[in-house]
Structure formats: C-alpha cells, structure tokens
Amino acid sequence: MERIERPVTVQTRDDLAVLVCDGSPSMNEQVLGIEGFTGTKGAVVGIAIRDLLMRLTSSRRSANFSVAGITFADRVTSQWGPVRAGGVDLTRTYDPTAVSASATGTSLASGLTAAANVARAHLAADGDLPRTVTVLLLSDGQCQSADASRAAAVDLKRDPRVRLVTAFLATHGRPDDGLALLRDVATHPAAYCTTVYDAETLRRYWEASLSTAAALPPGPSAQLALP
C-alpha cells in the first residue's frame, strides 16, 4: 500500500480485513527472526500486525478499509472490531498468545467460524458501496479438527466476495506439517497460501494481499500476486 502525506478521505469501497491468528501453545516457541530478533512466534505475529495496521492507517486506501481481529487456539480466545482503519488502536498488544494462556490445542475451525460471522455481518450491512472481505488466517501447525476446519472454510468462502488468504508460520529445520491444511482451506492453494518465517515477510504478504484484493473485482477466480 502506498504511503502519502495525508490520507484520502473519500470512500469508494467498503472492504474488510479480518486477521485470524493462532494463539495456541506452540506459538510460544522461541524463533530467530531477521536482524537478530529473538522472541516467540506470538511476538512475531504481534509485530507483523502492528506494522500492518500502521501502514494501513496511512495508506491512500485507508478510507476504504475496516479491520477486525480474531485470536483462536482450541477455541476463540479474543475478538475485536471491526473498526475503521483510521481508528485502530496501535498501542495494544497483538501477540495472540497473550490472551490464550489456558488453551490446550488448535482448532482452525473456531477461528474460521467466527470470521464467517464477522464477514456476513459486514456484507449484509446497509450501503451502496462495493464490499469485499479478506480473511487473513495465520497458523504454525497442525489442527485437531482438520475436517471441521475444511467445512468451516467452505462455509466462509460460500460468498464470492470473501477471500481466504492463509500463511504458515514455519520454523527453520522443522517439518511443515501444518502447511497442507492451510493450502486446503485457502481460496486458492497457490495464490492465497504461503510460508513465512519472520514478522517482516508476514507483514509484506498481508499487505500485498490486501492491496491486490482491493484492486480486483469480487470473485473466487481472481488470484493475488504474492510478494
């Protein structure tokens, strides 16, 4: 998204970005990121979210976007928004593990079901502007309810104005066991799914996904250009 000196105030679209992030126990694993960063996977996600929101607020498309957030583990553990892009709280902690201390597993289905509810409410709201929803799903591993997650993804994508973009937060030298499911649930297994290792790569992927999705007509056949 291009940065400008002053935000555009004329709204021409009503697009929603829903961040659906894994806060399960495995997200507390320590990782080594770019520029010597050492922290947990949850901290990586928190940095990526904050940086994305900062750029979104100063984007020339900021007037067209609302943002919502869902954190899940074995269940939904936190939810916020939707809020207009210019009104997001840049001071809060977006580390998904901060609200999932009692979690015992991972269920993508819980996050996807919550995202579907948010998406439907947005698409059903009054107004004449074109609307889309981009769901940005992030996870680092396997799911204890894979079949339920696939079913929840099918339900979420039933409306062609909804795109499900997935990211697998991997660890160097570890198996990519969770990647297959994230490919299965994405709107397109190649154009809407990627593997990331650090906050900067994740933020760039999310940013490119939102920029490209906002420029395309709604529809399940459109493909994103990956960063």
Side-chain angles (χ1 to χ4, degrees), residues 54-98:
M54 289 177 64
R55 289 169 178 268
L56 188 57
T57 59
S58 59
S59 165
R60 65 183 177 85
R61 295 189 179 120
S62 62
N64 292 335
F65 269 99
S66 295
V67 189
I70 296 166
T71 299
F72 69 92
D74 52 351
R75 62 192 183 283
V76 172
T77 56
S78 178
Q79 190 166 338
W80 57 269
V83 295
R84 300 305 303 176
V88 295
D89 184 357
L90 298 177
T91 65
R92 67 178 290 170
T93 298
Y94 290 101
D95 180 341
T97 64

Side-chain angles (χ1 to χ4, degrees), residues 13 15 60-61 65 132 163 208-218 222 224:
R13 299 176 60 95
D15 297 321
R60 65 183 177 85
R61 295 189 179 120
F65 269 99
T132 65
R163 295 184 178 92
S209 299
L210 293 179
S211 295
T212 311
L216 293 172
L224 298 179

Side-chain angles (χ1 to χ4, degrees), residues 147-165:
D147 289 342
S149 297
R150 291 186 183 93
V154 169
D155 183 58
L156 171 66
K157 297 179 292 184
R158 201 176 302 279
D159 191 313
R161 294 172 292 176
V162 179
R163 295 184 178 92
L164 176 52
V165 177

Side-chain angles (χ1 to χ4, degrees), residues 94-119:
Y94 290 101
D95 180 341
T97 64
V99 291
S100 305
S102 61
T104 58
T106 309
S107 172
L108 272 63
S110 63
L112 292 173
T113 299
N117 292 333
V118 174

Side-chain angles (χ1 to χ4, degrees), residues 7-31:
V8 173
T9 57
V10 177
Q11 184 180 11
T12 58
R13 299 176 60 95
D14 193 0
D15 297 321
L16 174 65
V18 186
L19 293 155
V20 183
C21 296
D22 187 348
S24 62
S26 61
M27 293 290 288
N28 287 303
E29 178 181 300
Q30 292 286 318
V31 294

Side-chain angles (χ1 to χ4, degrees), residues 111-131:
L112 292 173
T113 299
N117 292 333
V118 174
R120 290 190 185 105
H122 174 75
L123 295 172
D126 293 335
D128 298 326
L129 293 175
R131 295 176 186 231

